[in-house]
Amino acid sequence: MKKIIERLNPHCGFFYDITKVLVRVRSAWQTIELAESPEFGKVLLLDGITQVALKGEERYHESLVIPAMLSHPDPQRVLVIGGGDGGVLREVLTFGTVRNAVMVELDEAVISFSKQYMPEISAGAFDDPRAEIVVGDGRAYVEQCPDTSFDVVIMDMTDPFGPSEKLYTREFFAQVKRILRGAEGVFAMHGESPIARPAAYACIEKTLRKVFSCVKSAFTYVPMYGTLWSFKFASGTTDCASLSAKDVGSLLNARCERMPKYCMPQTYKAIFAPEPAAIEALFHPEGRVIEDRRSRFPDAFDPQGA
Ligand code: SAM
């Protein structure tokens, strides 16, 4: 049986079997594959790297979206950067407060591929009248955006390498802050793994702290990424870690069309619990603010390398 072998850092990684590559296409940007695996069901890979799998995807999508959407006082306008599979858009649109959700994805082929072969992930979100899909570079879109009325910006991006590298810099985060409406606006993004990539974790945290005064982190094990993963929530005043389980329950009832599969009230509290590995990672000697002039992460490596 063929195996997908992914390095989490140069010295360790994980594997899973695949029974079949069902579809493989080459877009202008990347190789897009759909594979069938006994462990995760259907899996979407970009350039051989696992992006999303049917089994357990809610652990990632809900943990990235729900804290931002519940903590903001009234999230009506949302920008999603990346996220071509539609999982983040799906979660955003379960919120009845949302009037408009713009999604900016670099590669139109990821959207059409996901719609055709993995429709369970977007679950109709691309056809929602509140959704507006823009094909283009997320950084250019944000920099050129005259509209400064986004309540929440959620970045669902490939790891910082190649076309996504310039979306992890201080300069880019400052542009995200500019398009958020007021200090209560929230920026959510994944923050790498504090266990597998402590230097990258420290870099993202330090870079966000340069721009936003309130930066909170959540952690959960994401089986399709083979390790403990982190989620960052940055804002001027909104503290996504401060909701009580009772608040989470009432807000879910008031704002959501359906209950989460994963991020229910007690789990919401649990993912914001202090994570010793993350605290230790912040002392990593290579942790630094990532800037445009030096945007390569100190621990960058080839996940498929020998
Ligand atoms: N959850 C996944 C992960 O963490 O591995 C990410 C999934 S999502 C499919 C990532 C998307 O980011 C891809 O569809 C990719 O095309 C898109 N992307 C990469 N660089 C981008 C850029 N500069 N602007 C907008 N989208 C970008």
Side-chain angles (χ1 to χ4, degrees):
M1 212 179 280
K2 192 174 173 317
K3 288 181 175 26
I4 297 292
I5 300 173
E6 250 176 73
R7 284 180 184 273
L8 297 168
N9 66 38
H11 309 296
C12 89
F14 80 114
F15 85 91
Y16 57 91
D17 289 333
I18 53 171
T19 42
K20 207 170 175 190
V21 175
L22 302 166
V23 198
R24 179 184 288 129
V25 297
R26 176 77 210 160
S27 76
W29 295 99
Q30 51 213 341
T31 299
I32 311 172
E33 286 171 296
L34 181 78
E36 181 66 43
S37 74
E39 182 65 19
F40 300 124
K42 279 191 282 181
V43 183
L44 173 81
L45 300 110
L46 296 179
D47 287 337
I49 308 296
T50 308
Q51 302 293 314
V52 63
L54 284 192
K55 185 175 156 198
E57 53 86 13
E58 65 281 355
R59 297 176 72 94
Y60 176 83
H61 290 124
E62 293 184 8
S63 303
L64 179 60
V65 173
I66 289 179
M69 297 298 291
L70 284 190
S71 303
H72 188 281
D74 186 20
Q76 298 193 14
R77 297 211 60 229
V78 179
L79 174 66
V80 178
I81 307 171
D85 52 68
V88 165
L89 190 64
R90 174 199 77 206
E91 285 304 317
V92 165
L93 291 170
T94 60
F95 283 79
T97 54
V98 174
R99 286 192 294 112
N100 168 250
V102 181
M103 185 182 114
V104 189
E105 160 63 51
L106 184 67
D107 192 347
E108 199 281 327
V110 178
I111 301 175
S112 46
F113 189 97
S114 307
K115 265 166 103 168
Q116 184 171 358
Y117 299 114
M118 255 185 147
E120 303 89 338
I121 298 293
S122 53
F126 292 118
D127 301 320
D128 189 304
R130 296 170 295 166
E132 192 184 318
I133 311 302
V134 178
V135 174
D137 174 39
R139 174 147 181 169
Y141 179 88
V142 171
E143 280 177 347
Q144 291 156 20
C145 186
D147 179 354
T148 56
S149 65
F150 288 101
D151 299 307
V152 172
V153 174
I154 302 174
M155 184 160 90
D156 181 19
M157 197 42 56
T158 40
D159 292 325
F161 181 72
S164 63
E165 191 174 292
K166 290 280 190 274
L167 285 88
Y168 288 84
T169 69
R170 176 182 60 76
E171 290 86 346
F172 176 64
F173 293 167
Q175 286 295 318
V176 171
K177 185 178 178 183
R178 180 186 67 77
I179 66 165
L180 283 169
R181 188 207 315 259
E184 62 199 17
V186 181
F187 175 43
M189 62 182 286
H190 83 81
E192 292 291 340
S193 170
I195 289 182
R197 291 191 66 189
Y201 176 85
C203 289
I204 292 172
E205 168 96 14
K206 284 174 194 240
T207 308
L208 283 170
R209 283 198 180 282
K210 271 276 170 211
V211 177
F212 294 93
S213 45
C214 180
V215 178
K216 294 295 161 90
S217 307
F219 306 92
T220 192
Y221 183 79
V222 179
M224 65 193 181
Y225 302 148
T227 187
L228 182 78
W229 207 251
S230 74
F231 304 89
K232 312 302 276 190
F233 302 94
S235 176
T237 54
T238 303
D239 178 353
C240 296
S242 70
L243 294 179
S244 67
K246 195 160 167 260
D247 294 336
V248 173
S250 334
L251 284 162
L252 284 172
N253 278 322
R255 293 184 180 181
C256 274
E257 284 157 15
R258 60 164 172 77
M259 284 300 111
K261 280 193 195 161
Y262 178 67
C263 210
M264 291 295 279
Q266 297 296 341
T267 309
Y268 185 112
K269 287 309 292 174
I271 66 174
F272 280 99
E275 169 51 62
I279 297 165
E280 195 184 323
L282 294 180
F283 295 100
H284 196 284
E286 289 183 316
R288 62 171 170 81
V289 175
I290 300 290
E291 300 193 301
D292 281 350
R293 61 179 177 83
R294 213 172 140 220
S295 56
R296 193 176 151 86
F297 274 55
D299 62 347
F301 68 104
D302 176 2
Q304 293 176 297

